[in-house]
Amino acid sequence: MLPKMPQRKTTWQNAVFPILLLLAFSLLVAFRLSGSSIGMDWYFLYGEVESDPNLLIGSPQVIRSDEYAIETPWTVMESRVGFSQHNPFIGSGQNLILTDVPIRHWSLIFTPQNWGYFLLPLEYGFSFHWWFKGLIVILGVYLLAVKLMNGQRMFAALMALAAFYSPAVQWWYSTSLTETFGWFFLLLFLVLQLVDAQTARARALYAALFTYAVGCFMFLGYIPGLIPTVLALVFLIVGLLADRFLRGGLRQAWTDARFRWALAGLCIALAVNLAVLAAYVVDQWTVIQTVMSSVYPGGRLETGGNMQPGHLLGGFYNIQLLWDRAYYLTLDNQSEASSYFMFSLFLLPLFIFQQARLIWRRQRPDGLLIAALLFYLLALCWAFVGLPAWLSHLLLLDRVPAKRMITVFGSLNLLLVIYFFARPPFAATRRNRLLAGLYAAAAALFYFSAGRSIQAENPGFFVIPALIYIVPMFVFLLAAALMNRVKSLFAIALLAFSLLTAFYVNPLYRGLGVLRESQIAREIQQIANQPENADAGWVFYDSVLSNFAAANGARVISATQYHPQPDLWRNFDPQGQYAEIYNRYSHIQVLPAAGDSIEFIQEREDAMLLKIHPCNPAFQGAGVRFFVFHEPVEYACLEPVTSVPYPDTSFYIYRQKAGDALP
């Protein structure tokens, strides 16, 4: 019994940080706190006249409109129909099961981030969903780092927190890319545990956990994020098995019970999840086929090669993104410009040289590391050069925009940094320390030169000009600590730099009151809940608040459509001449037109503009009865219902008069 005591103590010590993490998670949920930017709705209504009482820290981010203007209203909208698959409040009705919105369906088993909506009141469930993303990231990185670093818990905890505050994690936090990043580390940890398990009970446990985790990962659903991460994991798992078992050939490996058990566990996980996926596809084939047949995203194919170097290398300058001054160096916005602190790019030559030298000397290389390096190089080729069409199609990378590779680059980057500390490619000799310092100085000089060049080509880019000097200093400090394997200094400095760069990206916000309980929300609820208006359609003119109305029980044809609605748009386009424009996922903006003309205009690949007169009879065919404007209007076919004034954006609700429309 005595030999087992240290193991139990180690297990308990490893659990301290996760327990503290769960405690923090529980407190945040208990107080209905989140990092949502739903406070933008308050700003739309009140401007800067009144401060938002529910905004506790920071400011809402206007760029996160996919969260506060779409996903969060959709979630509240779903709660009004008991989280049913069919939601009547968007156009002619939508099935949102392929999104991250909570849906009452058997696949809920594999979406634990949504369990809170079914176990807790809505606002607590929303907070649960929000912080579960961060929980997966921090826990995944921590467990893998503890595993690779042989139980160095403090280092693992600091690295996990630094990963959570990576710029790309925080700027994309509301999307499933955050969970994709976190599940990568958790899945790799579970594979390592399965391979290293010494007892049948442990093997069965980790095989079951891995099987379930793969299902959770699979149901994240965002294909451009999943595909490269799946490929990376396949490379790593093959490399791990080759490193542990296949050095003497497959026949010899098969005599090792650990190899057979590990292979059986992986095959069971694959078989079970393929069966689950097949059942899901059969069950939801109609909506899947509709999305796949759309122009966007279904018809989108990528050629790769168009990722910008500044996107991959720019993480150290992402502190600039806290100031929304539209300086993103040709990248679209803050989220698209966000990245990671890509130290792995400086580690690649060292790792490649080390493994090549081992192979040249006929010594044992590191299979897991070689697999990571091979996929890293493949991913770099796809992102910056492109791959042959047949290969990109075979690997499904033609479904992945090059810029979306940033998530898997961030995952591999952190893995290689941890691996560098765990298995350094060179000894800590005096000469190597000197070379490490020079290498760190070269990295700092690179960023100093880059900063000077950016400033020269884009005057005014740096909000704080001293960043040209501060960033290289941080790069030198971090790179020197990394190269010399000073773990504590590196982890603390990385966390500090991460906090400076990304702590204020997302606010700390309480509840969803502005979306559910504001005066305009109550007015919409009162009108929409009247029995005679149960099926009445609404349209918002020149507004970004269509989904806001749908969240409050109105059937809004100008709400964001997830999948195409040809039956709805046939009322406005009987001949189908604009079908390519509305056959897509799309944000919808409506503006008035003169006379009886109707025009669909594609503004972006995911946005369209409908120009139509409010009295056009097409609205009657679509069942639209209520029209909302932000200023008073006079149309012969409309009569006022109510108005809701606000300091910044007021609402004027009209109802169509019976029988009145353009001839």
Side-chain angles (χ1 to χ4, degrees), residues 170-191:
Q170 290 299 310
W171 281 107
W172 287 103
Y173 189 87
S174 62
T175 73
S176 63
L177 290 174
T178 301
E179 291 131 305
T180 303
F181 180 76
W183 280 112
F184 170 87
F185 295 98
L186 200 52
L187 286 166
L188 188 55
F189 165 76
L190 291 172
V191 172

Side-chain angles (χ1 to χ4, degrees), residues 469-546:
Y469 306 96
I470 295 174
V471 166
M473 290 171 62
F474 262 101
V475 170
F476 176 76
L477 173 65
L478 287 162
L482 174 62
M483 295 297 169
N484 287 291
R485 303 191 292 284
V486 186
K487 294 185 292 294
S488 298
L489 176 60
F490 177 83
I492 292 171
L494 181 64
L495 177 57
F497 194 65
S498 300
L499 288 169
L500 285 173
T501 302
F503 182 78
Y504 282 104
V505 169
N506 292 301
L508 190 64
Y509 200 85
R510 179 177 55 229
L512 299 170
V514 66
L515 180 58
R516 305 168 65 209
E517 300 167 3
S518 59
Q519 184 182 354
I520 181 59
R522 290 195 297 268
E523 289 289 348
I524 293 172
Q525 293 167 19
Q526 182 179 359
I527 296 171
N529 290 339
Q530 294 174 10
E532 64 271 22
N533 297 329
D535 296 323
W538 294 57
V539 63
F540 275 63
Y541 268 81
D542 193 20
S543 178
V544 295
L545 294 172
S546 291

Side-chain angles (χ1 to χ4, degrees), residues 238-255:
V238 171
L240 176 64
L241 293 178
D243 185 71
R244 297 291 179 89
F245 303 114
L246 298 180
R247 295 185 179 278
L250 183 59
R251 180 174 298 179
Q252 180 178 337
W254 193 252
T255 63

Side-chain angles (χ1 to χ4, degrees), residues 210-466:
F210 179 73
T211 300
Y212 177 70
V214 170
C216 295
F217 177 77
M218 179 173 66
F219 276 97
L220 292 176
Y222 182 59
I223 301 301
L226 292 180
I227 289 173
T229 305
V230 167
L231 291 173
L233 286 168
V234 169
F235 269 70
L236 291 170
I237 291 171
V238 171
L240 176 64
L241 293 178
D243 185 71
R244 297 291 179 89
F245 303 114
L246 298 180
R247 295 185 179 278
L250 183 59
R251 180 174 298 179
Q252 180 178 337
W254 193 252
T255 63
D256 190 332
R258 293 178 305 156
F259 174 71
R260 296 197 302 271
W261 275 104
L263 196 61
L266 295 172
C267 289
I268 289 171
L270 179 63
V272 169
N273 282 287
L274 285 177
V276 170
L277 180 60
Y280 182 78
V281 169
V282 171
D283 187 32
Q284 298 298 325
W285 178 245
T286 300
V287 66
I288 292 173
Q289 187 178 41
T290 301
V291 173
M292 291 176 61
S293 301
S294 66
V295 175
Y296 173 85
R300 179 177 64 178
L301 291 176
E302 302 290 337
T303 57
N306 54 3
M307 189 175 192
Q308 299 183 39
H311 187 191
L312 188 62
L313 293 165
F316 292 102
Y317 288 117
N318 279 172
I319 192 171
Q320 284 278 118
L321 303 179
L322 294 174
W323 294 274
D324 184 14
R325 293 176 55 178
Y327 288 125
Y328 311 125
L329 299 182
T330 73
L331 295 164
D332 294 337
N333 52 58
Q334 292 141 299
S335 295
E336 297 290 1
S338 62
S339 185
Y340 296 85
F341 305 125
M342 297 297 295
F343 287 105
S344 59
L345 293 173
F346 301 104
L347 300 180
L348 276 178
L350 303 179
F351 278 132
I352 292 173
F353 175 77
Q354 176 210 27
Q355 295 303 306
R357 186 174 61 176
L358 290 174
I359 294 172
W360 177 260
R361 294 178 176 179
R362 297 186 177 182
Q363 296 177 342
R364 178 176 177 176
D366 188 323
L368 180 63
L369 179 57
I370 288 177
L373 296 175
L374 287 175
F375 181 76
Y376 205 141
L377 295 174
L378 177 70
L380 287 172
C381 286
W382 170 250
F384 292 100
V385 181
L387 295 171
W390 66 269
L391 182 57
S392 62
H393 185 68
L394 177 67
L395 298 175
L396 300 181
L397 287 173
D398 57 358
R399 294 287 179 177
V400 183
K403 60 185 179 182
R404 290 291 172 263
M405 297 293 290
I406 193 65
T407 299
V408 78
F409 282 137
S411 303
L412 292 171
N413 173 70
L414 188 56
L415 173 62
L416 290 178
V417 167
I418 296 172
Y419 216 81
F420 186 87
F421 282 110
R423 297 186 180 182
F426 53 82
T429 64
R430 183 175 181 180
R431 185 191 68 172
N432 285 342
R433 289 194 188 97
L434 176 61
L435 292 175
L438 293 175
Y439 201 50
L445 182 61
F446 170 82
Y447 275 96
F448 176 71
S449 300
R452 291 289 298 270
S453 177
I454 292 170
Q455 178 69 4
E457 297 175 8
N458 304 270
F461 171 78
F462 288 101
V463 179
I464 302 175

Side-chain angles (χ1 to χ4, degrees), residues 621-648:
V624 175
R625 195 181 306 165
F626 293 95
F627 298 77
V628 183
F629 301 85
H630 292 307
E631 58 184 21
V633 297
E634 292 186 7
Y635 291 105
C637 64
L638 302 181
E639 59 183 7
V641 176
T642 188
S643 63
V644 184
Y646 281 98
D648 201 72

